PDB file of all heavy atoms in Angstrom:
ATOM      1  N   VAL A  33      23.200  18.355   8.303  1.00  0.00           N
ATOM      2  CA  VAL A  33      22.670  19.594   7.958  1.00  0.00           C
ATOM      3  C   VAL A  33      21.244  19.810   8.391  1.00  0.00           C
ATOM      4  O   VAL A  33      20.460  18.796   8.496  1.00  0.00           O
ATOM      5  CB  VAL A  33      22.771  19.945   6.401  1.00  0.00           C
ATOM      6  CG1 VAL A  33      24.154  19.981   5.934  1.00  0.00           C
ATOM      7  CG2 VAL A  33      21.881  18.912   5.677  1.00  0.00           C
ATOM      8  N   GLY A  34      20.927  21.036   8.811  1.00  0.00           N
ATOM      9  CA  GLY A  34      19.536  21.333   9.273  1.00  0.00           C
ATOM     10  C   GLY A  34      18.570  21.440   8.173  1.00  0.00           C
ATOM     11  O   GLY A  34      18.930  21.928   7.038  1.00  0.00           O
ATOM     12  N   ASP A  35      17.351  20.972   8.365  1.00  0.00           N
ATOM     13  CA  ASP A  35      16.361  21.041   7.294  1.00  0.00           C
ATOM     14  C   ASP A  35      16.029  22.512   6.867  1.00  0.00           C
ATOM     15  O   ASP A  35      15.768  22.746   5.757  1.00  0.00           O
ATOM     16  CB  ASP A  35      15.045  20.389   7.772  1.00  0.00           C
ATOM     17  CG  ASP A  35      15.118  18.898   7.767  1.00  0.00           C
ATOM     18  OD1 ASP A  35      16.016  18.352   7.060  1.00  0.00           O
ATOM     19  OD2 ASP A  35      14.398  18.294   8.539  1.00  0.00           O
ATOM     20  N   SER A  36      16.074  23.438   7.883  1.00  0.00           N
ATOM     21  CA  SER A  36      15.717  24.864   7.572  1.00  0.00           C
ATOM     22  C   SER A  36      16.664  25.370   6.498  1.00  0.00           C
ATOM     23  O   SER A  36      16.184  26.106   5.640  1.00  0.00           O
ATOM     24  CB  SER A  36      15.726  25.669   8.841  1.00  0.00           C
ATOM     25  OG  SER A  36      17.015  25.675   9.411  1.00  0.00           O
ATOM     26  N   GLN A  37      17.951  25.129   6.619  1.00  0.00           N
ATOM     27  CA  GLN A  37      18.869  25.603   5.666  1.00  0.00           C
ATOM     28  C   GLN A  37      18.632  25.021   4.267  1.00  0.00           C
ATOM     29  O   GLN A  37      18.603  25.778   3.296  1.00  0.00           O
ATOM     30  CB  GLN A  37      20.306  25.210   6.077  1.00  0.00           C
ATOM     31  CG  GLN A  37      20.792  25.907   7.340  1.00  0.00           C
ATOM     32  CD  GLN A  37      22.158  25.396   7.773  1.00  0.00           C
ATOM     33  OE1 GLN A  37      22.245  24.240   8.260  1.00  0.00           O
ATOM     34  NE2 GLN A  37      23.200  26.164   7.483  1.00  0.00           N
ATOM     35  N   VAL A  38      18.497  23.726   4.202  1.00  0.00           N
ATOM     36  CA  VAL A  38      18.286  23.109   2.938  1.00  0.00           C
ATOM     37  C   VAL A  38      16.960  23.577   2.292  1.00  0.00           C
ATOM     38  O   VAL A  38      16.893  23.833   1.137  1.00  0.00           O
ATOM     39  CB  VAL A  38      18.330  21.577   3.101  1.00  0.00           C
ATOM     40  CG1 VAL A  38      18.041  20.833   1.750  1.00  0.00           C
ATOM     41  CG2 VAL A  38      19.589  21.044   3.674  1.00  0.00           C
ATOM     42  N   ASN A  39      15.887  23.614   3.086  1.00  0.00           N
ATOM     43  CA  ASN A  39      14.567  24.032   2.603  1.00  0.00           C
ATOM     44  C   ASN A  39      14.599  25.443   2.056  1.00  0.00           C
ATOM     45  O   ASN A  39      14.002  25.739   1.030  1.00  0.00           O
ATOM     46  CB  ASN A  39      13.559  23.878   3.654  1.00  0.00           C
ATOM     47  CG  ASN A  39      13.312  22.477   3.983  1.00  0.00           C
ATOM     48  OD1 ASN A  39      13.830  21.509   3.466  1.00  0.00           O
ATOM     49  ND2 ASN A  39      12.397  22.217   4.993  1.00  0.00           N
ATOM     50  N   GLN A  40      15.278  26.323   2.808  1.00  0.00           N
ATOM     51  CA  GLN A  40      15.345  27.778   2.338  1.00  0.00           C
ATOM     52  C   GLN A  40      16.087  27.838   1.042  1.00  0.00           C
ATOM     53  O   GLN A  40      15.690  28.562   0.129  1.00  0.00           O
ATOM     54  CB  GLN A  40      16.064  28.643   3.441  1.00  0.00           C
ATOM     55  CG  GLN A  40      15.182  28.831   4.670  1.00  0.00           C
ATOM     56  CD  GLN A  40      15.955  29.597   5.724  1.00  0.00           C
ATOM     57  OE1 GLN A  40      17.034  30.073   5.543  1.00  0.00           O
ATOM     58  NE2 GLN A  40      15.289  29.646   6.933  1.00  0.00           N
ATOM     59  N   SER A  41      17.201  27.161   0.859  1.00  0.00           N
ATOM     60  CA  SER A  41      18.009  27.209  -0.329  1.00  0.00           C
ATOM     61  C   SER A  41      17.211  26.629  -1.504  1.00  0.00           C
ATOM     62  O   SER A  41      17.185  27.159  -2.604  1.00  0.00           O
ATOM     63  CB  SER A  41      19.270  26.429  -0.119  1.00  0.00           C
ATOM     64  OG  SER A  41      20.134  27.023   0.814  1.00  0.00           O
ATOM     65  N   ALA A  42      16.492  25.512  -1.308  1.00  0.00           N
ATOM     66  CA  ALA A  42      15.666  24.903  -2.280  1.00  0.00           C
ATOM     67  C   ALA A  42      14.553  25.764  -2.706  1.00  0.00           C
ATOM     68  O   ALA A  42      14.264  25.953  -3.853  1.00  0.00           O
ATOM     69  CB  ALA A  42      15.174  23.509  -1.816  1.00  0.00           C
ATOM     70  N   ALA A  43      13.901  26.429  -1.692  1.00  0.00           N
ATOM     71  CA  ALA A  43      12.809  27.348  -1.986  1.00  0.00           C
ATOM     72  C   ALA A  43      13.259  28.540  -2.913  1.00  0.00           C
ATOM     73  O   ALA A  43      12.518  28.983  -3.807  1.00  0.00           O
ATOM     74  CB  ALA A  43      12.174  27.889  -0.693  1.00  0.00           C
ATOM     75  N   ALA A  44      14.431  28.990  -2.590  1.00  0.00           N
ATOM     76  CA  ALA A  44      15.001  30.104  -3.437  1.00  0.00           C
ATOM     77  C   ALA A  44      15.200  29.651  -4.847  1.00  0.00           C
ATOM     78  O   ALA A  44      14.908  30.394  -5.791  1.00  0.00           O
ATOM     79  CB  ALA A  44      16.334  30.649  -2.845  1.00  0.00           C
ATOM     80  N   SER A  45      15.730  28.519  -5.058  1.00  0.00           N
ATOM     81  CA  SER A  45      15.971  27.970  -6.356  1.00  0.00           C
ATOM     82  C   SER A  45      14.664  27.730  -7.151  1.00  0.00           C
ATOM     83  O   SER A  45      14.586  28.016  -8.297  1.00  0.00           O
ATOM     84  CB  SER A  45      16.782  26.616  -6.340  1.00  0.00           C
ATOM     85  OG  SER A  45      18.065  26.867  -5.938  1.00  0.00           O
ATOM     86  N   TYR A  46      13.677  27.240  -6.402  1.00  0.00           N
ATOM     87  CA  TYR A  46      12.350  26.929  -6.954  1.00  0.00           C
ATOM     88  C   TYR A  46      11.713  28.263  -7.421  1.00  0.00           C
ATOM     89  O   TYR A  46      11.137  28.384  -8.468  1.00  0.00           O
ATOM     90  CB  TYR A  46      11.530  26.254  -5.902  1.00  0.00           C
ATOM     91  CG  TYR A  46      10.137  25.767  -6.371  1.00  0.00           C
ATOM     92  CD1 TYR A  46      10.059  24.594  -7.118  1.00  0.00           C
ATOM     93  CD2 TYR A  46       8.956  26.452  -6.031  1.00  0.00           C
ATOM     94  CE1 TYR A  46       8.825  24.082  -7.504  1.00  0.00           C
ATOM     95  CE2 TYR A  46       7.739  25.991  -6.416  1.00  0.00           C
ATOM     96  CZ  TYR A  46       7.606  24.816  -7.161  1.00  0.00           C
ATOM     97  OH  TYR A  46       6.474  24.355  -7.544  1.00  0.00           O
TER      98      TYR A  46
END
Side-chain angles (χ1 to χ4, degrees):
V33 296
D35 286 336
S36 61
Q37 292 175 284
V38 179
N39 292 356
Q40 287 174 9
S41 296
S45 292
Y46 187 77

